[in-house]
Amino acid sequence: SQQGEEDPQALSIQEGENATMNCSYKTSINNLQWYRQNSGRGLVHLILIRSNEREKHSGRLRVTLDTSKKSSSLLITASRAADTASYFCATPNSGNTPLVFGKGTRLSVIA
Amino acid sequence: NAGVTQTPKFQVLKTGQSMTLQCAQDMNHEYMSWYRQDPGMGLRLIHYSVGAGITDQGEVPNGYNVSRSTTEDFPLRLLSAAPSQTSVYFCASSRGHSKNIQYFGAGTRLSVL
């Protein structure tokens, strides 16, 4: 099965800085999703970008998708301590099988 | 709406014991799935269901059974618990197809001694 791989594995920044996380995947997709997981909690959906979209915004989040490079990036602008969490990209698998998640990027925002 | 509800939140088992992790959703979602999350491993798919009466295996199905008798419930059964099954278990659901947005429960943290 294909799998999104996030990079970096861990990221530590100061409050107010921007955080960028990348995701690479292996085969053609029709959408790519980003999820967030706070420590000890379940995953929460952040944003879905379709294969015919190049960029999508949601509040302080900006997601880009480059299908030619099979990669996506998640940018969090003006980060806050509350953004501290793990971020996962997820891609559909073949047929009607569940999403495949990467191992995540652990983001720490220091106040 | 409560969304996806998982019970219990925490459980400690002894090797060889059996138990059922409960998952219920009130969004009338056809699609439900179980993942386990281990440190450094991301989420790995155990079993999934595309609707009542239909289940299929994921990446790591051994040692687990599922059934889907109703749209709302998707329990995960550990037949004979092993220390390797110590993990955090997440249930997720989505409307219609697996490519749609997944809604996750809060997880069950299981320790097998």
Side-chain angles (χ1 to χ4, degrees), chain A residues 1 3 30-31 33 35 37 40-45 48 88 92-104, chain B residues 31-33 35 37 40-43 45 47-48 50 59 90 96-107 109:
Chain A
S1 63
Q3 181 180 37
N30 68 356
N31 75 57
Q33 303 179 33
Y35 288 78
Q37 183 182 34
R41 308 293 291 274
L43 278 73
V44 175
H45 180 263
L48 181 154
F88 296 85
N93 209 340
S94 59
N96 198 11
T97 52
L99 295 178
V100 180
F101 288 82
K103 296 180 180 179
Chain B
Y31 206 98
M32 297 185 75
S33 51
Y35 295 88
Q37 185 177 34
M41 299 291 290
L43 278 81
L45 179 68
H47 285 285
Y48 66 99
V50 301
E59 180 185 357
F90 289 100
H97 202 276
S98 62
K99 294 178 174 56
N100 294 330
I101 294 168
Q102 304 281 311
Y103 295 84
F104 282 81
R109 187 173 297 273

Side-chain angles (χ1 to χ4, degrees), chain B residues 2-45:
Chain B
V4 179
T5 302
Q6 290 185 238
T7 56
K9 292 190 180 342
F10 302 95
Q11 184 70 49
V12 178
L13 293 178
K14 294 181 180 178
T15 297
Q17 287 184 317
S18 62
M19 79 159 294
T20 299
L21 280 63
Q22 302 291 344
C23 176
Q25 52 90 11
D26 61 0
M27 297 173 283
N28 202 31
H29 285 171
E30 299 89 342
Y31 206 98
M32 297 185 75
S33 51
W34 277 102
Y35 295 88
R36 60 177 287 174
Q37 185 177 34
D38 302 293
M41 299 291 290
L43 278 81
R44 292 184 291 170
L45 179 68

Side-chain angles (χ1 to χ4, degrees), chain A residues 33-103:
Chain A
Q33 303 179 33
W34 285 91
Y35 288 78
R36 165 189 169 135
Q37 183 182 34
N38 287 83
S39 181
R41 308 293 291 274
L43 278 73
V44 175
H45 180 263
L46 292 177
I47 198 164
L48 181 154
I49 186 165
R50 302 190 190 285
S51 59
N52 61 353
E53 298 175 308
R54 291 295 168 260
E55 187 170 309
K56 200 164 183 178
H57 296 255
S58 177
R60 293 183 296 110
L61 305 180
R62 183 176 77 111
V63 169
T64 62
L65 180 64
D66 187 335
T67 53
S68 66
K69 295 181 180 178
K70 294 187 171 57
S71 67
S72 174
S73 67
L74 170 66
L75 168 68
I76 304 174
T77 60
S79 62
R80 306 166 181 168
D83 294 327
T84 295
S86 291
Y87 293 82
F88 296 85
C89 68
T91 53
N93 209 340
S94 59
N96 198 11
T97 52
L99 295 178
V100 180
F101 288 82
K103 296 180 180 179

